[in-house]
């Protein structure tokens, strides 16, 4: 899988169907955890879910999805936490780590705050 920089501060990340499923699962868990705590869901998790659900993977789809630096940083953190959980299936751990690694390679530093 490759990573390609794009315009407007976004970077495209190629993901297999399995990797997209894992990212979707982790983002949905982020949203559900906030609902369980009577909090608003995180906008970044909703944005990533929308990207994944808006254009499902088909045989002709390259599996690319674009992320802002902030989205990538939060997704990477959530994927690493998921991969470290003892309850996470081995194949999900592999997919989560692979996507997190590609995000690390694409976005070297956490996003900067805009004043």
């Amino acid at each position: 899988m490759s990573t390609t920089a794009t315009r407007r501060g976004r970077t495209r990340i190629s993901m297999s169907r399995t990797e997209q499923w894992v990212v979707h699962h982790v983002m949905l868990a982020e949203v559900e955890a906030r609902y369980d705590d009577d909090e608003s869901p995180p906008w970044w998790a909703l944005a990533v879910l929308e990207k994944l659900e808006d254009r499902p993977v088909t045989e002709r789809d390259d599996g690319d999805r674009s992320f802002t630096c902030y989205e990538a940083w939060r997704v990477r953190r959530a994927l690493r936490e998921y991969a470290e959980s003892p309850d996470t299936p081995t194949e999900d751990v592999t997919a989560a780590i692979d996507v997190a690694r590609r995000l690390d390679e694409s976005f070297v530093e956490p996003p900067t705050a805009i004043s």
Side-chain angles (χ1 to χ4, degrees):
M1 301 285 152
S2 64
T3 305
T4 309
T6 61
R7 293 182 275 167
R8 292 186 228 136
R10 295 180 180 271
T11 296
R12 295 183 71 76
I13 305 292
S14 292
M15 293 184 282
S16 68
R17 282 182 187 214
T18 300
E19 291 169 338
Q20 288 187 56
W21 183 91
V22 168
V23 172
H24 186 277
H25 173 73
V26 171
M27 294 301 97
L28 191 56
E30 290 282 338
V31 170
E32 289 174 346
R34 298 294 166 79
Y35 279 134
D36 290 345
D37 294 338
D38 291 325
E39 297 177 13
S40 296
W43 65 265
W44 52 269
L46 292 173
V48 172
L49 282 170
E50 186 176 303
K51 291 174 190 185
L52 294 170
E53 293 174 356
D54 186 41
R55 200 180 98 209
V57 178
T58 65
E59 290 184 20
R60 293 177 290 150
D61 185 6
D62 57 10
D64 284 4
R65 299 296 184 263
S66 65
F67 296 94
T68 65
C69 185
Y70 188 81
E71 291 167 347
W73 179 66
R74 294 304 306 247
V75 169
R76 183 195 59 79
R77 278 183 56 193
L79 288 172
R80 291 219 182 265
E81 289 173 8
Y82 178 65
E84 292 170 3
S85 171
D87 297 330
T88 303
T90 304
E91 57 275 5
D92 285 9
V93 170
T94 301
I97 290 172
D98 287 348
V99 173
R101 180 187 47 77
R102 287 198 303 280
L103 290 170
D104 279 340
E105 291 169 356
S106 300
F107 299 95
V108 179
E109 298 180 19
T112 56
I114 299 173
S115 317

